[in-house]
Amino acid sequence: MKCRNCGTENVSESMYCVNCGTRLNEFEQTDFDIIDEDSDAIDDESIADMERRFTQGIGSWESISDSGRTAARAANDSARGSTGQRQRHRYEASERITVESNSAVYDRKNENNAEHQERVSGLRSGSQANYSQNAACERKTTEETQRRFTMSSESSQHPHADKRSYSERRSEFSSERKVKKIETPEKPQQAEHMNAEERESGRADNNELKKRNVISIFAAAIVLLALILVFILTLPGAGKTPKYEAEIIQSADKEDYYQITVHASVGDRAVFKSSSGEVKELEITSKHFAVFDIHIAELLPQEPIDTPICTVEPIVGIIRKGETEVVKVSVPSVSIDVPQFAVVFDHELELEQHITDQRTQEPVSEQVTQIPDSATQFPETTSAPESVQQVIDADTIVCNEGSVTISGRIPDVDITVRFDDELVEIIGNAFSYTAKFEKAGEHLIQFEASAPGYLTVRRTFKAIVDVDLTAEQVICIDRSFNTRVSSENEEITVVGTVPPGTQLRVVSDDPDFSLGSEPSVDDEGNFSFVVNLPVESKNYQMSIIATTKSGNEIIRPFAVQRPPVFNDYVPTVWACSYNDMIKPMYFGVKGFQINGYVTEIISDADYQRARLQLSTNQTVILNYYNHYAGASTLLAGNNYTMYGYPIGINSDGELELFIWFIRA
């Protein structure tokens, strides 16, 4: 086979040129082990084949540098003179190369195993590990090439070192080969075993590395998706529930106003909802915000407020461009000073005026002016009428007949006024409340005025009652009320007043007494009830029982009359006889004519009671209800002729008479 490089003719089976060492074919030498391990003897053909291989070149020529190949060519040229010498050198070089090649294979495998163990231990840091491995391999290859070149050079420099014959070398080679076969039969198996372990370990490493790579890629993908999601959600207008900003500050220009600034995208609409439910909208301008001017009344609750400072959170939303749904925007809460309204009480004005008048009337003197013990003391020259309550101070009032009235004015606002939890009617902007206390002592009155969005005004007044009230003062029936009806009427309606909150009932021991309707009391204390009058010429007595709000029970005796017909009754009466009037048989059966002189008016509170001295000098007690009708009124010191009937002897032993008619 002719070399394409130098033109030297080589044996047909040669792989490398014997002159220049160039590879002659494209087929790669597969193994340096040319001995059949199953054969116990080495024949001449094997030796000749081994020499031929050496002459033609071996696979290790590929790893030899150019300088090494040049040195080998020089050595071969110097040895051509003697065929025996060349054959001997070829045999020795082949033997050395074969042993060194096997040793290099094992060295490389051990090195690869060590590098593999380092890679499993944690030195698998990607490119660094690959770089170290490649560097080690290159270093080992270079050292091996240099070592072979050196050995080959040494052998070439001494071509005549071994003068033995061919047969001796053959015998020695045969014996050494047998020893080698005995000593190293397990090397190929060991190498195969090591290759299997290396492949298995490599597969495990590859699988582990693949798993780690998959996990790393998966984790990186998750992190990337999370970052993308966060970025999308933080974009203005992105997502279903974008975050907007709003802030509130007190207005520097307008008193009792606040400014709410809403930040959003251009084209969105900012929405504000007041505490009353009123909605305001503003479009977001190119400045990316809108500002609401809000009065505190739109922020404060729409009910009375009990604390001077109220914390509120404005209601603000955003309608995104092209949408209709309102997205709520969080606004910081703000503490607002609650506005107040003023209540003017009349008795305070009267007190202030009274003090001013008192100071004006004091004489000017060089002496020290005497200051009264109380600023509310009335001057001696003037005294408050009994019907007028006396104001001690702004919160204390002395009641006349247990009654106190508190009145005043309020601003033109939707204000509710209550006294002792009782709603008071507001007429215009004025109010008035009257309370009656039946027992002596100090009584408290609770005042409360409230309005939506305003601070509730509360105040406590003290009412002073000197004496207990009479039943007539608690259960009031006006003097204009006529307790008598005409003889034709069969019922009468009784009307009057009691303190508000009083419960009323009527009882009687008279079997002929009955009610046409039960008592009813309205919120202001007005009451009414109907009494049946089935029998004429009769006085219907009863007891009106009132239970006040304070729990006191007041009983007032009362009576209504259905009189006889005057023209029928007067002609039938008996003459004035004290002895006949004290007889029980005549009580209520028939009337008497009574003549006498009124010496004393005992009572005029409910119905008149008077003491009358008869013409026969006896004294009787008169009971007369007719004064309610404004008819004749008994006066002390006058003589009267009357018609009536006796009602019995009282506990003092005095005869009492009921008078139907009076003739002056």
Side-chain angles (χ1 to χ4, degrees):
M1 180 178 292
K2 190 175 182 178
C3 178
R4 291 176 296 178
N5 184 31
C6 63
T8 303
E9 192 70 25
N10 295 280
V11 182
S12 60
E13 293 85 2
S14 298
M15 296 179 64
Y16 297 92
C17 179
V18 296
N19 183 32
C20 65
T22 303
R23 187 179 183 88
L24 299 178
N25 53 48
E26 296 178 358
F27 298 98
E28 185 177 355
Q29 187 72 21
T30 59
D31 196 0
F32 289 106
D33 189 4
I34 60 176
I35 303 299
D36 186 4
E37 293 183 358
D38 296 334
S39 175
D40 295 333
I42 303 176
D43 52 7
D44 294 338
E45 294 179 0
S46 298
I47 295 175
D49 181 69
M50 188 164 47
E51 289 177 349
R52 185 170 58 252
R53 288 190 181 185
F54 180 78
T55 303
Q56 295 174 355
I58 59 176
S60 61
W61 282 99
E62 294 180 354
S63 61
I64 300 176
S65 62
D66 293 339
S67 61
R69 285 195 295 269
T70 303
R73 285 197 301 271
N76 290 333
D77 292 338
S78 64
R80 280 180 196 160
S82 176
T83 303
Q85 290 179 356
R86 285 199 305 269
Q87 290 179 350
R88 186 187 68 227
H89 289 309
R90 289 172 184 169
Y91 162 74
E92 291 176 353
S94 177
E95 183 69 17
R96 278 196 307 272
I97 290 172
T98 301
V99 174
E100 290 172 0
S101 176
N102 291 335
S103 175
V105 169
Y106 282 105
D107 291 339
R108 284 195 301 272
K109 290 182 179 179
N110 291 334
E111 290 172 1
N112 290 336
N113 288 337
E115 291 170 359
H116 170 67
Q117 292 298 330
E118 290 177 358
R119 192 157 36 89
V120 172
S121 316
L123 302 177
R124 303 169 183 169
S125 58
S127 61
Q128 183 177 359
N130 294 332
Y131 174 80
S132 300
Q133 183 177 0
N134 294 334
C137 291
E138 291 177 1
R139 187 169 59 254
K140 293 296 181 181
T141 302
T142 304
E143 291 176 357
E144 181 184 355
T145 303
Q146 292 177 356
R147 185 170 60 253
R148 289 178 181 179
F149 174 74
T150 302
M151 293 174 62
S152 177
S153 298
E154 290 176 356
S155 176
S156 300
Q157 291 174 3
H158 304 280
H160 305 288
D162 194 352
K163 303 296 183 177
R164 292 177 297 178
S165 64
Y166 174 77
S167 60
E168 291 176 349
R169 292 197 311 272
R170 178 180 178 183
S171 176
E172 183 180 356
F173 177 80
S174 177
S175 61
E176 288 178 357
R177 187 61 183 169
K178 289 181 180 180
V179 173
K180 182 186 294 184
K181 180 179 180 181
I182 295 174
E183 290 178 353
T184 62
E186 296 179 357
K187 285 185 178 180
Q189 297 178 3
Q190 182 178 1
E192 182 179 356
H193 177 69
M194 292 177 65
N195 287 334
E197 289 183 351
E198 182 179 0
R199 286 194 300 273
E200 193 68 26
S201 177
R203 292 192 194 99
D205 283 343
N206 289 336
N207 293 336
E208 182 69 22
L209 187 58
K210 288 180 180 179
K211 291 181 180 178
R212 290 177 177 270
N213 291 337
V214 170
I215 293 174
S216 300
I217 293 172
F218 185 69
I222 291 177
V223 172
L224 181 60
L225 289 175
L227 292 175
I228 293 174
L229 181 61
V230 171
F231 178 74
I232 291 175
L233 292 179
T234 53
L235 285 176
K240 293 184 178 180
T241 56
K243 291 184 178 179
Y244 299 97
E245 293 183 356
E247 57 187 13
I248 180 171
I249 60 172
Q250 194 168 6
S251 176
D253 302 330
K254 300 179 180 180
E255 187 178 359
D256 295 335
Y257 273 82
Y258 280 82
Q259 289 184 340
I260 299 178
T261 303
V262 183
H263 299 272
S265 301
V266 177
D268 294 345
R269 286 177 295 163
V271 180
F272 168 77
K273 185 177 181 180
S274 68
S275 57
S276 62
E278 183 181 356
V279 177
K280 297 181 179 180
E281 291 188 12
L282 290 177
E283 185 173 352
I284 303 299
T285 63
S286 59
K287 296 181 179 180
H288 294 273
F289 67 86
V291 180
F292 291 97
D293 283 334
I294 305 299
H295 190 268
I296 59 174
E298 299 178 86
L299 296 172
L300 293 172
Q302 292 300 303
E303 60 262 0
I305 304 173
D306 292 332
T307 57
I309 297 178
C310 182
T311 301
V312 298
E313 182 176 344
I315 302 175
V316 175
I318 287 292
I319 301 178
R320 297 175 60 188
K321 185 177 181 180
E323 298 183 3
T324 58
E325 182 180 358
V326 179
V327 179
K328 185 177 180 181
V329 179
S330 178
V331 185
S333 59
V334 60
S335 296
I336 301 177
D337 293 334
V338 182
Q340 304 180 35
F341 56 85
V343 180
V344 179
F345 294 95
D346 294 335
H347 70 276
E348 289 182 339
L349 297 177
E350 294 172 1
L351 175 63
E352 182 179 356
Q353 183 64 36
H354 170 70
I355 294 174
T356 302
D357 294 343
Q358 186 179 19
R359 290 174 179 173
T360 303
Q361 293 175 4
E362 289 180 354
V364 179
S365 170
E366 295 180 358
Q367 298 179 356
V368 178
T369 304
Q370 297 295 327
I371 301 176
D373 295 337
S374 174
T376 60
Q377 180 179 351
F378 287 92
E380 294 182 0
T381 55
T382 60
S383 60
E386 278 190 24
S387 60
V388 177
Q389 58 192 15
Q390 299 182 17
V391 179
I392 302 301
D393 55 44
D395 296 326
T396 305
I397 302 173
V398 176
C399 302
N400 180 40
E401 297 182 353
S403 179
V404 59
T405 298
I406 301 176
S407 60
R409 294 182 301 277
I410 57 176
D412 190 13
V413 185
D414 184 17
I415 299 177
T416 300
V417 175
R418 285 183 172 86
F419 282 92
D420 291 337
D421 292 332
E422 178 184 343
L423 188 63
V424 176
E425 182 182 5
I426 306 296
I427 301 176
N429 64 341
F431 63 89
S432 179
Y433 172 77
T434 299
K436 182 173 285 189
F437 303 97
E438 61 277 3
K439 297 296 182 180
E442 295 183 355
H443 304 273
L444 300 180
I445 302 174
Q446 301 295 338
F447 170 81
E448 177 183 291
S450 58
Y454 286 87
L455 182 64
T456 299
V457 178
R458 291 186 175 90
R459 192 165 174 179
T460 301
F461 297 99
K462 183 187 297 182
I464 299 177
V465 180
D466 293 334
V467 296
D468 293 346
L469 301 184
T470 63
E472 289 79 7
Q473 290 175 322
V474 177
I475 306 173
C476 297
I477 299 176
D478 195 86
R479 288 179 175 271
S480 62
F481 175 72
N482 191 349
T483 60
R484 298 178 65 182
V485 296
S486 65
S487 59
E488 293 84 9
N489 291 342
E490 295 184 357
E491 64 179 24
I492 184 174
T493 300
V494 180
V495 296
T497 59
V498 291
T502 300
Q503 297 179 355
L504 208 63
R505 57 194 178 95
V506 178
V507 298
S508 177
D509 296 332
D510 190 342
D512 295 329
F513 181 86
S514 63
L515 292 176
S517 66
E518 294 294 332
S520 62
V521 183
D522 62 17
D523 294 338
E524 296 180 359
N526 299 312
F527 71 85
S528 65
F529 59 91
V530 177
V531 179
N532 294 323
L533 305 174
V535 181
E536 64 178 13
S537 303
K538 184 170 183 172
N539 183 40
Y540 293 87
Q541 294 183 340
M542 69 196 79
S543 295
I544 303 175
I545 304 173
T547 303
T548 62
K549 187 167 57 176
S550 59
N552 296 322
E553 187 175 87
I554 309 298
I555 301 175
R556 175 180 178 176
F558 195 69
V560 292
Q561 303 86 33
R562 183 182 176 185
V565 178
F566 181 83
N567 293 331
D568 294 338
Y569 179 74
V570 171
T572 61
V573 298
W574 287 299
C576 181
S577 173
Y578 180 78
N579 293 330
D580 291 335
M581 287 187 292
I582 62 173
K583 295 178 181 179
M585 67 177 61
Y586 295 108
F587 291 176
V589 177
K590 195 174 182 180
F592 289 86
Q593 179 180 326
I594 304 165
N595 300 317
Y597 173 77
V598 176
T599 60
E600 178 185 3
I601 301 296
I602 301 174
S603 174
D604 196 29
D606 189 3
Y607 55 90
Q608 279 192 313
R609 287 175 59 85
R611 193 179 302 277
L612 179 70
Q613 184 177 1
L614 298 176
S615 57
T616 56
N617 295 326
Q618 290 90 0
T619 301
V620 296
I621 303 298
L622 303 177
N623 294 273
Y624 181 59
Y625 291 87
N626 213 30
H627 68 279
Y628 277 176
S632 301
T633 300
L634 297 176
L635 298 175
N638 291 346
N639 291 311
Y640 294 95
T641 298
M642 295 169 288
Y643 303 91
Y645 62 91
I647 57 177
I649 303 296
N650 61 23
S651 60
D652 295 331
E654 295 179 308
L655 175 64
E656 292 196 9
L657 303 174
F658 182 82
I659 304 301
W660 282 120
F661 306 109
I662 298 175
R663 182 180 292 173

